[in-house]
Amino acid sequence: MRTQVGIVGAGPAGLMLSHLLHLAGIDSIVIENRSRAYCEARVRAGLMENWVAQLLIDTGVGERLNREAMVHDGIYVAFGGEARHIDFHKLIGKRVYIYDQKEVVTDLIAKRLGDGGQILFEVEDTSIHDFDGGRPKIRFRHGGAAQEIECDFIAGCDGFHGICRPSIPASAWRGYDRVYPFGWLGVLTESPPPEDELIYCFHERGFALFSMRGPQVSRLYIQVPPEEDADKWSDAQIWGELETRLGGVRPLKRGKILQKGVTPMRSYVTEPMQHGRLFLAGDAAHIVPPTGAKGMNLAIADVRVLSRAFEAHYKSGGEALLKDYSRTALNRVWKGQRFSWWMTQMLHRHSDEIDFDTKRQIAEIDYVTGSVAAMTSLAENYAGLPME
Ligand code: DHB
């Protein structure tokens, strides 16, 4: 097989890149080791920055998003028995969209296949070759047969545990790392959310987040020790803990727990995000802790920058944007890292005692939810820094 850009990974980064390249008349093939059903079913963070939703709409993949996404003016932050509203729309004129990552993936797969795009699911034993000079190749097995894609460039969109990043010689890149001493137990429930926008709760017993996937479906999270076993938690315990941490600011209706799992909390950045003709994008290059839901948004930002760079290369032979890809993408990535780290440290419990840091955190939350300047800063970052 031969294509212009070989894309490893059919997550939001790989699929969106393939879609944007197609619109620019550039050929790509996407390979993915999971099944299509798995990619379309895996519940992930559901919060979309304003410009990401707009990009999906402007590029013809916003039809279901327009119909089904919940559009929020802001968020609530609860602490000390009180819920305070931060109104992004009033502060900066932007709204955010609640639409699960799996819905974005579902819509992009349908669009790519509808446009005649090639996505090969359930490939095995993927490896990448000759991206450090010669003609890059992607080798894998598909349907039992050995396959090879020869391409001009490889886009590594295969996530944090993918094969692309570790294929770069160790001396050519560096990872910047921060591991947090807690995780999130996340549940999907058949119950109405306690508020029509998200509530981020700071509580003595730990952080909790009340999000949603529809008027009768909630997505709820509680801070737990790292590597907690989700099965240790009974449904009654989960509901009890959620109710306690909500702190009485809203009534909480219980319902059936449909899914549960633990999300690890980590910040990670690879520098540079390019080696020869291999370009990393999304989780393959960087991950954020979930607080503020920047993961998918940063992935889409990477491929927006990368697709424009490929476009310049193929249209005019201009190499400046490709050469600048890593620097341009990392500029936004580090701001996303900074914001995710900041939200995480502000809203989580770091010790069992009420100590200096706890008091400082309460003062910070009080300030951030009371000062127009501080709320504006949060709103700008949460709804998405300018892209252009
Ligand atoms: C969701 C997840 C987040 O981490 C967040 O900050 C907001 C929303 C969600 O899954 O809905």
Side-chain angles (χ1 to χ4, degrees):
M1 282 180 265
R2 151 104 210 120
T3 192
Q4 289 174 297
V5 182
I7 301 175
V8 185
L15 292 166
M16 190 65 186
L17 178 62
S18 180
H19 174 57
L20 293 172
L21 291 178
H22 171 71
L23 296 178
I26 299 164
D27 219 43
S28 68
I29 299 174
V30 181
I31 64 161
E32 165 62 50
N33 60 7
R34 305 279 191 172
S35 68
R36 179 175 179 180
Y38 179 92
C39 295
E40 293 183 345
R42 192 167 167 211
V43 178
R44 305 293 295 272
L47 187 111
M48 212 184 264
E49 292 178 1
N50 194 275
W51 74 273
V52 174
Q54 203 53 54
L55 180 66
L56 291 171
I57 294 164
D58 292 346
T59 61
V61 261
E63 198 234 339
R64 198 161 66 97
L65 171 86
N66 269 329
R67 246 184 306 122
E68 295 180 12
M70 287 161 287
V71 186
H72 290 180
D73 283 352
I75 56 167
Y76 289 84
V77 179
F79 69 110
E82 185 190 348
R84 293 195 188 160
H85 193 225
I86 303 180
D87 190 326
F88 308 150
H89 189 249
K90 211 149 76 193
L91 290 160
I92 59 164
K94 285 185 186 174
R95 297 186 166 97
V96 291
Y97 291 68
I98 302 292
Y99 194 63
D100 199 287
Q101 179 172 316
K102 76 184 175 70
E103 310 303 344
V104 179
V105 164
T106 301
D107 295 348
L108 281 168
I109 290 173
K111 181 73 176 156
R112 282 310 295 128
L113 296 179
D115 286 345
Q118 248 188 304
I119 311 172
L120 307 177
F121 290 99
E122 295 178 78
V123 307
E124 293 170 301
D125 301 331
T126 303
S127 58
I128 57 176
H129 307 270
D130 302 332
F131 49 88
D132 194 4
R135 280 202 104 33
K137 288 163 203 80
I138 306 175
R139 298 199 181 113
F140 53 96
R141 298 182 69 77
H142 190 229
Q147 299 280 1
E148 182 178 280
I149 300 174
E150 198 184 79
C151 42
D152 301 335
F153 300 100
I154 297 173
C157 305
D158 53 343
F160 189 61
H161 301 288
I163 57 105
C164 287
R165 186 182 65 255
S167 301
I168 305 174
S171 60
W173 62 280
R174 162 165 186 202
Y176 295 84
D177 205 4
R178 163 75 44 103
V179 178
Y180 300 88
F182 36 76
W184 280 11
L185 173 63
V187 292
L188 189 72
T189 69
E190 216 172 72
S191 63
E195 188 32 274
D196 56 14
E197 290 177 355
L198 274 53
I199 311 177
Y200 288 81
C201 300
F202 176 84
H203 190 272
E204 200 176 302
R205 292 184 60 83
F207 171 76
L209 170 60
F210 295 78
S211 183
M212 63 203 68
R213 290 295 179 271
Q216 296 301 324
V217 183
S218 290
R219 180 73 175 143
L220 312 170
Y221 301 95
I222 47 182
Q223 176 186 347
V224 293
E227 288 150 48
E228 181 81 330
D229 179 5
D231 291 329
K232 260 180 39 192
W233 288 74
S234 71
D235 290 8
Q237 262 178 313
I238 293 171
W239 281 114
E241 201 60 39
L242 284 163
E243 195 163 288
T244 303
R245 297 188 192 187
L246 186 56
V249 301
R250 296 289 183 279
L252 184 64
K253 273 220 173 105
R254 299 186 180 198
K256 197 167 147 193
I257 294 184
L258 305 169
Q259 267 187 38
K260 65 181 172 186
V262 172
T263 312
M265 305 279 287
R266 188 169 192 178
S267 302
Y268 190 92
V269 182
T270 307
E271 289 204 18
M273 287 168 56
Q274 178 222 346
H275 184 75
R277 292 175 163 260
L278 168 66
F279 293 80
L280 302 177
D283 280 9
H286 44 76
I287 51 174
V288 287
T291 332
K294 286 285 167 242
M296 176 172 69
N297 296 292
L298 288 175
I300 301 290
D302 287 349
V303 299
R304 172 78 288 194
V305 173
L306 188 54
S307 67
R308 287 201 171 126
F310 284 140
E311 209 175 326
H313 166 85
Y314 284 111
K315 292 231 162 99
S316 62
E319 302 305 308
L321 294 185
L322 272 180
K323 257 181 93 177
D324 254 6
Y325 166 69
S326 181
R327 195 186 54 79
T328 310
L330 283 167
N331 187 289
R332 187 180 186 86
V333 165
W334 275 112
K335 291 185 179 120
Q337 291 288 351
R338 200 270 325 156
F339 179 69
S340 305
W341 163 85
W342 174 73
M343 287 280 280
T344 300
Q345 64 79 27
M346 177 171 68
L347 293 168
H348 288 73
R349 289 286 284 129
H350 301 273
S351 78
D352 295 333
E353 296 165 66
I354 307 289
D355 57 7
F356 180 91
D357 279 326
T358 315
K359 295 285 185 182
R360 177 191 54 75
Q361 280 175 279
I362 294 167
E364 185 167 24
I365 297 166
D366 189 20
Y367 171 63
V368 162
T369 54
S371 148
V372 170
M375 286 193 286
T376 305
S377 169
L378 187 148
E380 276 186 337
N381 284 279
Y382 194 102
L385 293 171
M387 200 33 213
E388 303 308 326

PDB file of all heavy atoms in Angstrom, residues 172-183:
ATOM      1  N   ALA A 172      16.982  11.084  21.327  1.00  0.00           N
ATOM      2  CA  ALA A 172      16.450  12.168  20.497  1.00  0.00           C
ATOM      3  C   ALA A 172      15.245  12.877  21.113  1.00  0.00           C
ATOM      4  O   ALA A 172      14.701  13.797  20.519  1.00  0.00           O
ATOM      5  CB  ALA A 172      16.072  11.625  19.116  1.00  0.00           C
ATOM      6  N   TRP A 173      14.774  12.434  22.286  1.00  0.00           N
ATOM      7  CA  TRP A 173      13.633  13.105  22.903  1.00  0.00           C
ATOM      8  C   TRP A 173      13.696  12.980  24.416  1.00  0.00           C
ATOM      9  O   TRP A 173      14.456  12.187  24.957  1.00  0.00           O
ATOM     10  CB  TRP A 173      12.312  12.534  22.389  1.00  0.00           C
ATOM     11  CG  TRP A 173      12.093  11.071  22.689  1.00  0.00           C
ATOM     12  CD1 TRP A 173      12.630  10.025  22.002  1.00  0.00           C
ATOM     13  CD2 TRP A 173      11.297  10.494  23.743  1.00  0.00           C
ATOM     14  NE1 TRP A 173      12.225   8.834  22.555  1.00  0.00           N
ATOM     15  CE2 TRP A 173      11.399   9.087  23.619  1.00  0.00           C
ATOM     16  CE3 TRP A 173      10.492  11.036  24.758  1.00  0.00           C
ATOM     17  CZ2 TRP A 173      10.740   8.211  24.478  1.00  0.00           C
ATOM     18  CZ3 TRP A 173       9.835  10.157  25.617  1.00  0.00           C
ATOM     19  CH2 TRP A 173       9.958   8.759  25.471  1.00  0.00           C
ATOM     20  N   ARG A 174      12.901  13.803  25.045  1.00  0.00           N
ATOM     21  CA  ARG A 174      12.833  13.757  26.497  1.00  0.00           C
ATOM     22  C   ARG A 174      11.379  13.846  26.954  1.00  0.00           C
ATOM     23  O   ARG A 174      10.587  14.557  26.336  1.00  0.00           O
ATOM     24  CB  ARG A 174      13.645  14.947  27.036  1.00  0.00           C
ATOM     25  CG  ARG A 174      13.317  15.252  28.453  1.00  0.00           C
ATOM     26  CD  ARG A 174      14.280  16.143  29.181  1.00  0.00           C
ATOM     27  NE  ARG A 174      13.811  16.160  30.557  1.00  0.00           N
ATOM     28  CZ  ARG A 174      14.076  17.085  31.440  1.00  0.00           C
ATOM     29  NH1 ARG A 174      14.867  18.078  31.121  1.00  0.00           N
ATOM     30  NH2 ARG A 174      13.584  17.013  32.650  1.00  0.00           N
ATOM     31  N   GLY A 175      11.026  13.134  28.018  1.00  0.00           N
ATOM     32  CA  GLY A 175       9.685  13.222  28.582  1.00  0.00           C
ATOM     33  C   GLY A 175       9.700  14.014  29.878  1.00  0.00           C
ATOM     34  O   GLY A 175      10.608  13.840  30.696  1.00  0.00           O
ATOM     35  N   TYR A 176       8.744  14.902  30.027  1.00  0.00           N
ATOM     36  CA  TYR A 176       8.567  15.661  31.276  1.00  0.00           C
ATOM     37  C   TYR A 176       7.335  15.092  31.974  1.00  0.00           C
ATOM     38  O   TYR A 176       6.275  14.995  31.355  1.00  0.00           O
ATOM     39  CB  TYR A 176       8.364  17.151  30.983  1.00  0.00           C
ATOM     40  CG  TYR A 176       9.566  17.814  30.359  1.00  0.00           C
ATOM     41  CD1 TYR A 176       9.780  17.759  28.985  1.00  0.00           C
ATOM     42  CD2 TYR A 176      10.485  18.500  31.144  1.00  0.00           C
ATOM     43  CE1 TYR A 176      10.879  18.367  28.410  1.00  0.00           C
ATOM     44  CE2 TYR A 176      11.590  19.113  30.575  1.00  0.00           C
ATOM     45  CZ  TYR A 176      11.780  19.042  29.206  1.00  0.00           C
ATOM     46  OH  TYR A 176      12.865  19.645  28.633  1.00  0.00           O
ATOM     47  N   ASP A 177       7.464  14.769  33.231  1.00  0.00           N
ATOM     48  CA  ASP A 177       6.512  13.902  33.890  1.00  0.00           C
ATOM     49  C   ASP A 177       6.063  14.439  35.235  1.00  0.00           C
ATOM     50  O   ASP A 177       6.878  14.999  35.966  1.00  0.00           O
ATOM     51  CB  ASP A 177       7.259  12.570  34.137  1.00  0.00           C
ATOM     52  CG  ASP A 177       6.325  11.423  34.234  1.00  0.00           C
ATOM     53  OD1 ASP A 177       5.123  11.628  34.044  1.00  0.00           O
ATOM     54  OD2 ASP A 177       6.800  10.309  34.510  1.00  0.00           O
ATOM     55  N   ARG A 178       4.800  14.257  35.579  1.00  0.00           N
ATOM     56  CA  ARG A 178       4.316  14.531  36.927  1.00  0.00           C
ATOM     57  C   ARG A 178       3.233  13.508  37.238  1.00  0.00           C
ATOM     58  O   ARG A 178       2.246  13.425  36.511  1.00  0.00           O
ATOM     59  CB  ARG A 178       3.749  15.968  36.981  1.00  0.00           C
ATOM     60  CG  ARG A 178       2.857  16.310  38.153  1.00  0.00           C
ATOM     61  CD  ARG A 178       3.586  16.517  39.471  1.00  0.00           C
ATOM     62  NE  ARG A 178       4.788  17.311  39.372  1.00  0.00           N
ATOM     63  CZ  ARG A 178       4.898  18.593  39.729  1.00  0.00           C
ATOM     64  NH1 ARG A 178       3.841  19.234  40.195  1.00  0.00           N
ATOM     65  NH2 ARG A 178       6.047  19.224  39.627  1.00  0.00           N
ATOM     66  N   VAL A 179       3.435  12.716  38.281  1.00  0.00           N
ATOM     67  CA  VAL A 179       2.415  11.734  38.669  1.00  0.00           C
ATOM     68  C   VAL A 179       1.718  12.256  39.918  1.00  0.00           C
ATOM     69  O   VAL A 179       2.373  12.764  40.826  1.00  0.00           O
ATOM     70  CB  VAL A 179       3.052  10.346  38.926  1.00  0.00           C
ATOM     71  CG1 VAL A 179       2.009   9.340  39.387  1.00  0.00           C
ATOM     72  CG2 VAL A 179       3.736   9.840  37.659  1.00  0.00           C
ATOM     73  N   TYR A 180       0.404  12.182  39.965  1.00  0.00           N
ATOM     74  CA  TYR A 180      -0.360  12.696  41.108  1.00  0.00           C
ATOM     75  C   TYR A 180      -0.698  11.552  42.057  1.00  0.00           C
ATOM     76  O   TYR A 180      -0.951  10.427  41.590  1.00  0.00           O
ATOM     77  CB  TYR A 180      -1.640  13.393  40.617  1.00  0.00           C
ATOM     78  CG  TYR A 180      -1.332  14.556  39.695  1.00  0.00           C
ATOM     79  CD1 TYR A 180      -1.197  14.349  38.331  1.00  0.00           C
ATOM     80  CD2 TYR A 180      -1.113  15.828  40.199  1.00  0.00           C
ATOM     81  CE1 TYR A 180      -0.877  15.399  37.475  1.00  0.00           C
ATOM     82  CE2 TYR A 180      -0.784  16.879  39.356  1.00  0.00           C
ATOM     83  CZ  TYR A 180      -0.680  16.661  37.997  1.00  0.00           C
ATOM     84  OH  TYR A 180      -0.346  17.686  37.164  1.00  0.00           O
ATOM     85  N   PRO A 181      -0.754  11.847  43.357  1.00  0.00           N
ATOM     86  CA  PRO A 181      -0.962  10.754  44.322  1.00  0.00           C
ATOM     87  C   PRO A 181      -2.433  10.391  44.524  1.00  0.00           C
ATOM     88  O   PRO A 181      -2.856  10.106  45.627  1.00  0.00           O
ATOM     89  CB  PRO A 181      -0.354  11.344  45.605  1.00  0.00           C
ATOM     90  CG  PRO A 181      -0.572  12.818  45.477  1.00  0.00           C
ATOM     91  CD  PRO A 181      -0.521  13.133  44.008  1.00  0.00           C
ATOM     92  N   PHE A 182      -3.214  10.447  43.436  1.00  0.00           N
ATOM     93  CA  PHE A 182      -4.612  10.021  43.523  1.00  0.00           C
ATOM     94  C   PHE A 182      -5.136   9.692  42.136  1.00  0.00           C
ATOM     95  O   PHE A 182      -4.452   9.934  41.131  1.00  0.00           O
ATOM     96  CB  PHE A 182      -5.498  11.098  44.171  1.00  0.00           C
ATOM     97  CG  PHE A 182      -5.119  12.507  43.818  1.00  0.00           C
ATOM     98  CD1 PHE A 182      -5.440  13.041  42.568  1.00  0.00           C
ATOM     99  CD2 PHE A 182      -4.430  13.306  44.723  1.00  0.00           C
ATOM    100  CE1 PHE A 182      -5.089  14.340  42.236  1.00  0.00           C
ATOM    101  CE2 PHE A 182      -4.069  14.610  44.385  1.00  0.00           C
ATOM    102  CZ  PHE A 182      -4.392  15.128  43.143  1.00  0.00           C
ATOM    103  N   GLY A 183      -6.329   9.102  42.077  1.00  0.00           N
ATOM    104  CA  GLY A 183      -6.982   8.801  40.804  1.00  0.00           C
ATOM    105  C   GLY A 183      -8.432   9.247  40.881  1.00  0.00           C
ATOM    106  O   GLY A 183      -8.854   9.803  41.902  1.00  0.00           O
TER     107      GLY A 183
END
